[in-house]
Amino acid sequence: EDLITEPQFRIRSKILLSFLGLSVTSIIIFGYVALTDIRNIGDYAQESSSSLSESAIKESSKELEELGKVVIQQKARDFAVQCEIFIRSHPDMSITDLQASREFQRIAVQSVGKTGYTLIYDHRGRMLFHPNKELVNFPLSRWKQKLPDFWQLFAPTLGGKEGQGFYDWLDSDGVIRRKYMYMVPINGTELMGGATIYLGEFTQPIRQTEEKI
């Protein structure tokens, strides 16, 4: 009886071990494939996420830039109306009188956002009001060669037409930064009012989001 039972036990054991071996091998293969798929899915998700983030940032930057331009345009128009009201209320004041008037100075040079400001120049291209005192009474035509982009913004407006555009500006720290300006005529005068601001101020919220991403 023992001789009959022992071989049967061995056969069953071998069959059982064979099935266990196949099961373990299947699990290992399945696990390897699964882990590979997971890594591939993770890589794809990361690439897709990065691509989506870049696309969203680019589109959001454009939208914020357009919105910023609208805000500056409206600021320039409102500013021109303020100047017009004051000048009409003081018809006897010359340009020199206006430059000497602290009340008008507060109207003529205003802050726009965190980095922008307003300015006034005449139809001859002479800067009359500017935050930088060194530029007051400065003829802008001198920058035809030095700052061609800047001059090209002003030149078409000297006849009293509205104008707008981007230009590079050299800061006091020696860094060139992109700015946007909108210019409008001050009705009843030969003066032009402008509002300008750094382009980076439009897109700063997006840059902060980009850093977080």
Side-chain angles (χ1 to χ4, degrees):
E1 183 175 358
D2 293 337
L3 293 174
I4 295 172
T5 305
E6 187 175 347
Q8 289 179 347
F9 176 75
R10 289 179 180 176
I11 292 170
R12 289 176 182 175
S13 298
K14 289 180 180 179
I15 294 172
L16 180 60
L17 290 174
S18 297
F19 277 114
L20 287 174
L22 288 173
S23 299
V24 171
T25 302
S26 299
I27 290 171
I28 292 172
I29 293 172
F30 176 78
Y32 175 78
V33 172
L35 288 174
T36 301
D37 287 343
I38 289 172
R39 281 196 297 268
N40 291 336
I41 291 172
D43 293 340
Y44 175 75
Q46 186 174 4
E47 291 175 3
S48 299
S49 178
S50 298
S51 177
L52 181 61
S53 297
E54 290 176 3
S55 178
I57 287 170
K58 183 182 291 186
E59 291 301 318
S60 298
S61 295
K62 289 181 180 179
E63 293 296 330
L64 282 177
E65 186 174 303
E66 290 301 315
L67 178 60
K69 288 166 63 177
V70 171
V71 172
I72 298 304
Q73 291 169 14
Q74 188 59 52
K75 174 61 180 180
R77 293 192 178 103
D78 293 342
F79 166 66
V81 171
Q82 293 173 14
C83 294
E84 177 188 352
I85 292 173
F86 183 92
I87 292 172
R88 286 184 179 276
S89 301
H90 303 79
D92 297 331
M93 294 184 71
S94 65
I95 294 298
T96 303
D97 294 332
L98 290 173
Q99 288 179 319
S101 170
R102 291 185 178 181
E103 185 179 358
F104 189 71
Q105 280 281 354
R106 286 193 293 270
I107 297 174
V109 181
Q110 302 179 28
S111 296
V112 179
K114 295 180 180 179
T115 62
Y117 51 82
T118 59
L119 53 86
I120 296 176
Y121 59 99
D122 62 21
H123 287 183
R124 293 181 296 168
R126 182 170 58 110
M127 186 67 73
L128 300 175
F129 296 88
H130 193 280
N132 185 351
K133 300 301 181 182
E134 294 181 1
L135 295 181
V136 175
N137 295 323
F138 180 82
L140 297 173
S141 58
R142 291 184 183 178
W143 284 344
K144 283 184 180 180
Q145 304 300 326
K146 183 179 179 181
L147 299 172
D149 290 346
F150 184 76
W151 172 249
Q152 286 175 7
L153 288 182
F154 279 93
T157 68
L158 297 183
K161 296 181 179 180
E162 291 192 17
Q164 64 171 317
F166 295 94
Y167 63 98
D168 292 329
W169 185 256
L170 181 63
D171 282 335
S172 57
D173 59 3
V175 178
I176 296 177
R177 295 183 175 89
R178 199 73 169 157
K179 298 188 76 174
Y180 173 76
M181 181 181 291
Y182 198 86
M183 298 151 285
V184 295
I186 298 175
N187 293 331
T189 73
E190 292 188 355
L191 303 177
M192 297 290 297
T196 181
I197 196 169
Y198 284 105
L199 180 61
E201 190 164 339
F202 294 165
T203 58
Q204 184 179 7
I206 290 297
R207 296 296 160 230
Q208 293 173 343
T209 301
E210 184 179 15
E211 290 176 2
K212 290 181 181 179
I213 293 175

